[in-house]
Amino acid sequence: MTAGPLTTDWEKARAAARAVPSLPPVARDLADALGHALAEPLTALTDLPPFDTSAMDGWAVAGPGPWRFEGGGVLAGGQPEPLRPGTAVAIATGARLPEGADAVLRREDGEDEAGSGLLLDRSACPGPPAPGRDIRPRGQECRADDPLLPAGTSVTSTVLGLAAAAGYDRLTVHRRPRVDLLVLGDELLATGLPRDGRIRDALGPLLAAWLSGQGADVVGRPLLPDGFGPLYEAVRDSTADVVVTTGSTAAGPVDFLHDALRAVGARLLVDSVAVRPGHPMLLAELPPGADGRARHLVGLPGNPLAAVAGAVTLAVPLLRRLGGHVDAGPLDAVCAAALPGHPRDTRLLPVRRTGRAVAPLPFDGPAMLRGLALSDGLAVVPPGGAEAGAVVEILDVPRP
């Protein structure tokens, strides 16, 4: 393993994690594109609406009233006959407007004059309905070939709806990065209560769900015992785009991650970050995979909150960049109370939000998750702390 820059400041560490190319574009059916990022701009394949439609239940009318009824009515999905001047036809919301119709008279504003076969306008508005009233005109939302969303947009359920409305069956998106999550430690239990000096694995459930929500496909999630051999073999044999490990990042008696990276020929990009908690985190470039693309390993500390700090610093930016996601700018908040900091390093502190202001939470030790579970985010506290009234960046935390 060749050494890279050591003990990186927090902002530079995040920049290093983003300094990777996105994974190649792939075509996905709409049902399979959720959570990916658009690899090319989304442009409209049709006008929206594709034809003039009724915005209300009522009658499509042609010319000034009163109007003589014509036809049996128009429902959504139907193909109406043209309307002659002085006539009206019942129409449902979303139905195509007949050719020749000028406006829609709402159902509550119209009256069928008994025995006359005529529709009368009983609305409070003087004169005939204004042309275009309660009509959604063709192309009101967009015209064919209009740009709708830029490349890099994360595909959410609303993006899928817009794409379907605009005529798409498939989307060109970036492939989601595949992740092997290696949770290390002889002391970890997968089930049951802590016992005999052993504790439950909290990071496996937390990180697997969170990384999936950040656009990754977690393809492996083993619990590994402490020891050089199992860790070396797992890293060597992984075919994932990113390997994420928990624990073994420091220099303790069972910390073998640096040895394993050296043995597989990795290159360290970040080795320790000036941030608390989580400073003994690392980022390494692994030997290329079968496709010739570089692969990466993110080493997170073993303490839960420290691991989350490592994830927001290195793992999340790396995975978002690999997946082609373009994220919004920083989310800032005002400190409702002073936020305690570290004398020299950036501190990531669980905070609760009230309006635009945030306040610190208890249970913020590196081995704790209680404060994080109650929080609305992690405040980025500069060295020395932040006074009440100061503005700080807020990082997202694991949530559904």
Side-chain angles (χ1 to χ4, degrees):
M1 177 179 62
T2 57
L6 304 181
T7 311
T8 310
D9 75 35
W10 185 74
E11 287 288 1
K12 290 182 178 178
R14 296 183 83 197
R18 295 191 185 101
V20 295
S22 298
L23 293 171
V26 292
R28 291 282 187 266
D29 291 341
L30 291 188
D32 299 322
L34 188 67
H36 292 68
L38 295 177
E40 56 188 32
L42 188 75
T43 57
L45 302 180
T46 181
D47 297 344
L48 286 181
F51 38 77
D52 293 347
T53 60
S54 175
M56 301 293 294
D57 290 333
W59 294 268
V61 297
W67 303 272
R68 189 167 300 280
F69 291 109
E70 189 167 283
V74 186
L75 299 177
Q79 181 63 34
E81 295 294 325
L83 271 187
R84 296 173 296 168
T87 62
V89 64
I91 194 166
T93 302
R96 183 169 188 165
L97 203 71
E99 184 181 341
D102 302 312
V104 170
L105 181 66
R106 300 184 182 194
R107 180 166 298 279
E108 61 267 27
D109 292 338
E111 181 182 330
D112 181 0
E113 187 177 51
S116 69
L118 295 176
L119 172 67
L120 304 179
D121 183 356
R122 297 300 191 193
S123 69
C125 300
R133 177 180 169 186
D134 288 322
I135 293 173
R136 296 175 182 146
R138 175 176 181 167
Q140 183 183 47
E141 186 171 0
C142 65
R143 291 289 185 179
D145 298 324
D146 278 355
L148 300 177
L149 297 170
T153 300
S154 299
V155 179
T156 62
S157 57
T158 52
V159 170
L160 290 179
L162 176 61
Y168 285 84
D169 298 314
R170 291 167 70 79
L171 292 174
T172 301
V173 295
H174 289 285
R175 179 171 67 79
R176 287 165 62 99
R178 294 173 291 108
V179 172
D180 276 336
L181 175 59
L182 311 181
V183 180
L184 314 177
D186 290 334
E187 77 281 12
L188 298 178
L189 295 168
T191 60
L193 292 173
R195 58 189 181 273
D196 304 324
R198 303 179 70 189
I199 60 173
R200 280 293 298 271
D201 165 36
L203 289 178
L206 185 158
L207 290 172
W210 188 23
L211 299 180
S212 296
Q214 295 297 320
D217 287 330
V218 179
V219 294
R221 190 185 131 188
L223 278 176
L224 294 183
D226 289 318
F228 171 80
L231 178 56
Y232 164 70
E233 291 171 3
V235 175
R236 179 197 64 190
D237 297 341
S238 174
T239 59
D241 301 296
V242 178
V243 178
V244 177
T245 63
T246 69
S248 198
T249 54
V254 292
D255 291 337
F256 297 104
L257 182 56
H258 285 85
D259 294 336
L261 290 173
R262 188 176 298 109
V264 300
R267 182 171 71 95
L268 272 177
L269 304 175
V270 173
D271 189 10
S272 187
V273 177
V275 66
R276 305 299 172 113
H279 67 96
M281 64 180 77
L282 63 83
L283 173 65
E285 184 177 279
L286 297 173
D291 60 0
R293 295 185 60 85
R295 301 180 306 119
H296 293 83
L297 181 142
V298 177
L300 305 178
N303 279 325
L305 186 57
V308 168
V312 298
T313 302
L314 296 177
V316 170
L318 174 70
L319 292 172
R320 301 289 289 177
R321 177 61 180 156
L322 286 172
H325 298 270
V326 176
D327 294 318
L331 177 63
D332 293 337
V334 176
C335 301
L339 302 184
H342 185 271
R344 298 175 305 280
D345 297 344
T346 298
R347 187 178 183 193
L348 303 181
L349 185 69
V351 291
R352 196 68 181 266
R353 178 184 292 276
T354 302
R356 190 171 176 261
V358 293
L361 286 165
F363 308 108
D364 59 2
M368 298 180 179
L369 286 176
R370 186 173 173 182
L372 184 73
L374 293 170
S375 75
D376 295 311
L378 290 173
V380 181
V381 183
E387 297 180 353
V391 177
V392 293
E393 182 181 355
I394 305 298
L395 303 176
D396 198 15
V397 295
R399 62 184 75 247

